[in-house]
């Protein structure tokens, strides 16, 4: 019975791995033709049809990118290392400011002068924060400002002043392919699900709340924070 049970578990693991590999390979192979298609569409004469096709191609590209992120994260153990959460937040905000400015939105970073020490996967946390900022730009209609806060002992908050998410939908939107009832645009319904998966891998939590005055505040709380001495911080360049 034990041998049969172990064999069944191995088959389940193999099936999940095969599914993960298929999803990652399919997403990777789709990115190149979608990029070529968009470049060709942009050479067409201006018009409503051209704009619609470009918009649809961008949406497909967004879906492929998020599927690739999900496939890479699913079932994988992340490599943790000592890091400075505030430095990661600064780097991501710096990368995403041009994208936000194109939509008429400013991003403000608030962080302490000293490092916010954490043991975690920097690459995964960057993906989580990038998804939160992209989500805010897409869906926080009317906001002119997004605030990113890095707080001790180990927390990140992303605050916008858009329409927010009703309290009865906040848990549901953390599930894959679930979007709010009033949400329109290019969203895939995967961004917040990826954030939730990354936080689970860090033993942390995602909390969606209401911004004072209206809007959405997303709080990422990490449970794996631990002190890093000054020498180790200097060696890590934080």
């Amino acid at each position: 019975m034990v041998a049969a049970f172990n064999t069944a578990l191995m088959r389940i693991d193999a099936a999940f791995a095969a599914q993960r590999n298929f999803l990652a390979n399919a997403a990777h192979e789709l990115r190149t033709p979608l990029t070529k298609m968009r470049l060709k569409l942009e050479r067409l004469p201006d018009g409503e049809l051209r704009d619609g096709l470009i918009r649809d191609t961008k949406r497909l590209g967004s879906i492929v990118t998020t599927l690739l992120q999900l496939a890479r994260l699913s079932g994988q153990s992340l490599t943790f290392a000592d890091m400075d959460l505030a430095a990661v937040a600064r780097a991501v905000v710096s990368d995403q400011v041009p994208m936000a400015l194109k939509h008429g939105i400013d991003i403000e970073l608030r962080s302490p002068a000293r490092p916010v020490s954490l043991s975690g996967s920097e690459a995964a946390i960057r993906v989580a924060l990038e998804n939160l900022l992209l989500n805010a730009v897409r869906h926080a209609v009317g906001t002119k400002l997004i605030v990113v806060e890095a707080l001790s002992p180990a927390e990140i908050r992303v605050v916008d002043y858009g329409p927010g998410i009703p309290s009865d939908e906040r848990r549901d939107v953390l599930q894959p392919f679930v979007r709010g009832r009033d949400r329109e645009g290019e969203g895939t319904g995967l961004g917040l699900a990826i954030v939730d998966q990354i936080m689970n891998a860090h033993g942390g939590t995602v909390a969606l709340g209401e911004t004072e005055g209206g809007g959405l505040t997303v709080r990422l709380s990490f449970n794996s924070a631990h002190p890093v001495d000054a020498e180790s911080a200097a060696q890590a360049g934080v």
Side-chain angles (χ1 to χ4, degrees):
M1 185 180 294
V2 172
F5 184 70
N6 287 337
T7 300
L9 288 179
M10 290 176 62
R11 288 176 177 171
I12 292 172
D13 287 341
F16 274 124
Q19 184 181 48
R20 217 166 33 242
N21 290 334
F22 171 77
L23 184 60
N25 291 334
H28 181 73
E29 292 299 323
L30 283 170
R31 295 180 74 177
T32 299
L34 281 172
T35 301
K36 291 180 178 179
M37 184 186 301
R38 182 178 172 187
L39 291 174
K40 291 177 181 177
L41 288 172
E42 289 177 347
R43 292 201 296 266
L44 294 175
D46 290 340
E48 186 176 341
L49 178 60
R50 170 187 178 274
D51 294 342
L53 289 171
I54 290 176
R55 186 167 54 251
D56 290 343
T57 304
K58 287 175 64 178
R59 176 170 167 74
L60 283 172
S62 178
I63 292 172
V64 167
T65 298
T66 49
L67 284 174
L68 190 56
Q69 289 177 344
L70 197 58
R72 286 172 174 169
L73 291 168
S74 296
Q76 294 185 6
S77 57
L78 301 176
T79 301
F80 282 24
D82 292 340
M83 53 178 286
D84 176 10
L85 197 58
V88 173
R90 283 194 295 272
V92 173
V93 167
S94 178
D95 288 344
Q96 298 302 314
V97 161
M99 178 272 297
L101 289 176
K102 288 182 180 179
H103 292 80
I105 299 173
D106 290 323
I107 303 179
E108 178 184 333
L109 175 66
R110 300 173 185 172
S111 64
R114 59 185 302 173
V116 178
S117 302
L118 172 72
S119 177
S121 167
E122 180 174 338
I125 292 172
R126 285 182 66 104
V127 168
L129 186 50
E130 287 167 0
N131 274 283
L132 288 181
L133 290 175
L134 184 57
N135 194 69
V137 168
R138 283 175 172 168
H139 301 297
V141 179
T143 192
K144 296 298 180 183
L145 176 67
I146 298 171
V147 178
V148 177
E149 297 178 293
L151 306 170
S152 295
E155 183 173 292
I156 287 181
R157 293 180 187 172
V158 176
V159 182
D160 69 55
Y161 301 90
I165 299 177
S167 57
D168 61 339
E169 295 183 23
R170 290 174 189 163
R171 286 307 308 172
D172 292 340
V173 297
L174 296 178
Q175 302 301 314
F177 301 107
V178 175
R179 300 173 64 192
R181 289 190 298 267
D182 299 327
R183 292 196 163 197
E184 298 179 356
E186 301 176 358
T188 62
L190 284 171
L192 289 176
I194 290 174
V195 173
D196 189 49
Q197 185 173 345
I198 290 170
M199 293 308 296
N200 285 336
H202 284 81
T205 59
V206 182
L208 307 183
E210 185 174 351
T211 302
E212 184 177 354
L216 181 69
T217 296
V218 183
R219 187 172 72 249
L220 308 183
S221 301
F222 296 86
N223 293 330
S224 53
H226 66 277
V228 177
D229 60 40
E231 183 178 354
S232 297
Q235 289 175 352
V238 298

